[in-house]
Amino acid sequence: MGATKTEHFTDKQNAIAKLAKAMAHPARVAIIDYLLSVDTCICGDIVNELPLAQPTVSQHLKELKEAGIIKGSIDGTSICYCIDELAILEIQKYFEEISNNLNIKKNICC
Amino acid sequence: MGATKTEHFTDKQNAIAKLAKAMAHPARVAIIDYLLSVDTCICGDIVNELPLAQPTVSQHLKELKEAGIIKGSIDGTSICYCIDELAILEIQKYFEEISNNLNIKKNICC
DNA sequence: TATATTTATCGTAATATTGCAATAAAATGA
DNA sequence: TCATTTTATTGCAATATTACGATAAATATA
């Protein structure tokens, strides 16, 4: 008990849940916001932007990276993180599909 | 320690995180998929569709409802759940904005 | 080589989530 | 009223997440 029953759901359902989970924390949303706001996809001053300690930020970055939402490349002692378009596109299209689907149906009840 | 530091982030960041969190479990993605697949936004046979016990499904439905992603109306002994367009629209637009933003920038590094 | 800078990892405490059996609550029909 | 049906709630165990201090690892520079 306690662990998610991943094996009972489709690959797509698990994939969407994984992407959503990566965005399921305000600090990680803030990281994405910040990466969008800077011109050069700047590095570890993300820590200075967030009200969290460096290890905590590092952990959030790791989760975003593992979900495929950001990617990082080493640049000397610092690391340059930026958003991975593919993952964003995948989740964007998922919600777009739902939106379109809802428009066609036009809620029968509720 | 341990609890999310909600108060340090913007309302928008918290709102997006909350919606994403609601979708951060494959069972809840499956519920949305099912609600989209049925013509009449049918009720509690969601339990039969999912590989989870009734109390677990009820709990997932509650979380989706509290996040505003679904709404339910009582119909005799059963309850009719369906997707709330507004919440879907909000999260859809968020990811669309990111997508558009990324298209303009066209990744400088990484 | 020693030091500073930057990021990652470890260890741990606090809290949250997931899942289900048991049970309650609410409405219907006999 | 009493059983049936449907959904919600309670209580609890297992697991996951969040946060951070301490520390390690990696690279650059003096």
Side-chain angles (χ1 to χ4, degrees):
Chain A
M1 275 166 250
T4 296
K5 292 188 154 183
T6 312
E7 68 279 11
H8 293 307
F9 301 98
T10 68
D11 286 352
K12 171 125 194 214
Q13 283 161 354
N14 282 313
I16 294 297
K18 191 179 167 190
L19 288 171
K21 196 174 200 170
M23 299 296 292
H25 193 289
R28 297 197 288 269
V29 176
I31 289 171
I32 298 301
D33 284 354
Y34 180 70
L35 286 176
L36 280 170
S37 76
V38 284
D39 267 352
T40 45
C41 53
I42 278 298
C43 335
D45 35 21
I46 296 170
V47 173
N48 298 317
E49 280 294 311
L50 295 184
L52 296 169
Q54 180 267 323
T56 311
V57 174
S58 184
Q59 200 177 286
H60 282 307
L61 286 167
K62 190 182 176 186
E63 269 160 73
L64 282 168
K65 196 163 67 180
E66 274 173 3
I69 289 182
I70 63 172
K71 46 191 173 178
S73 61
I74 297 166
D75 174 29
T77 53
S78 57
I79 289 184
C80 174
Y81 279 115
C82 54
I83 297 171
D84 190 323
E85 287 174 278
L86 254 68
I88 294 293
L89 215 67
E90 186 180 351
I91 194 158
Q92 187 247 310
K93 281 211 184 304
Y94 175 76
F95 285 112
E96 199 172 38
E97 260 173 54
I98 298 181
S99 270
N100 292 340
N101 221 314
L102 285 174
N103 259 328
I104 295 164
K105 291 214 173 153
K106 267 302 164 212
N107 273 12
I108 309 164
C109 64
C110 300
Chain B
M1 274 165 250
T4 296
K5 292 189 157 182
T6 312
E7 67 279 10
H8 293 307
F9 302 98
T10 68
D11 286 352
K12 170 124 194 216
Q13 283 161 353
N14 282 312
I16 293 298
K18 191 180 168 189
L19 288 171
K21 196 174 200 170
M23 299 296 292
H25 194 289
R28 297 197 287 269
V29 176
I31 289 172
I32 298 300
D33 284 354
Y34 179 70
L35 286 177
L36 280 170
S37 78
V38 282
D39 267 351
T40 45
C41 51
I42 279 298
C43 336
D45 35 22
I46 296 171
V47 173
N48 297 318
E49 280 294 311
L50 296 184
L52 296 168
Q54 181 269 322
T56 310
V57 174
S58 184
Q59 197 178 288
H60 282 307
L61 286 167
K62 191 182 175 188
E63 269 160 73
L64 283 168
K65 198 163 65 178
E66 275 174 2
I69 289 181
I70 64 172
K71 46 191 172 178
S73 61
I74 296 165
D75 174 28
T77 53
S78 57
I79 288 184
C80 175
Y81 280 115
C82 55
I83 297 173
D84 190 324
E85 286 174 278
L86 255 67
I88 294 293
L89 216 67
E90 187 181 352
I91 194 158
Q92 187 247 310
K93 283 211 183 305
Y94 175 76
F95 285 113
E96 200 173 38
E97 260 173 54
I98 299 181
S99 271
N100 293 339
N101 221 315
L102 285 173
N103 259 328
I104 295 165
K105 291 216 172 150
K106 268 303 165 211
N107 273 13
I108 310 163
C109 63
C110 299

